[in-house]
Amino acid sequence: SFEYIGHIIGTIVIYSVINKINRKMLLISAVVFKAIALCINAFTNVYMILLIGRCFAGISHIFFLIYFPIWVEQYGSKEKKGIMFALIQIGLSFGIAVGFVLCTLLNRKVINVIII
């Protein structure tokens, strides 16, 4: 549920900055912020830090949820809009799943190196 609290906070933040900051910079910032937030969750077992990391991951996810569908609606061709919307939804979900798998594998590798 902390990720969804992050969604609420992120919506307020994006609403206030989306027209004031270059969208390319917002995209790069969101990607970096999301990567850091998810890596924090991979390398710690402190419960409060895990909650904060999930909240930050939710905040950074909002840019993708809001901007990509707007971009498709504005710039996508009429024949391809449906497939573009589907790819956005699949891509975001697939990326999150792959990220969790990679974090799990990295976490196991780090634990195995420490044990050996």
Side-chain angles (χ1 to χ4, degrees), residues 2-3 5-7 9 30 33-34 36-38 40-41 49-62:
F2 267 79
E3 184 160 352
I5 292 171
H7 283 189
I9 296 168
F33 197 59
K34 181 90 169 176
I36 291 169
L38 292 177
I40 286 171
N41 287 336
I49 295 174
L50 290 172
L51 292 178
I52 292 168
R54 292 307 300 161
C55 185
F56 285 150
I59 291 170
S60 63
H61 191 80
I62 284 298

Side-chain angles (χ1 to χ4, degrees), residues 61 64-65 68-69 83-95:
H61 191 80
F64 306 110
L65 291 176
F68 288 163
I83 191 75
M84 290 174 81
F85 282 124
L87 289 174
I88 288 170
Q89 295 302 318
I90 291 169
L92 290 174
S93 300
F94 182 73

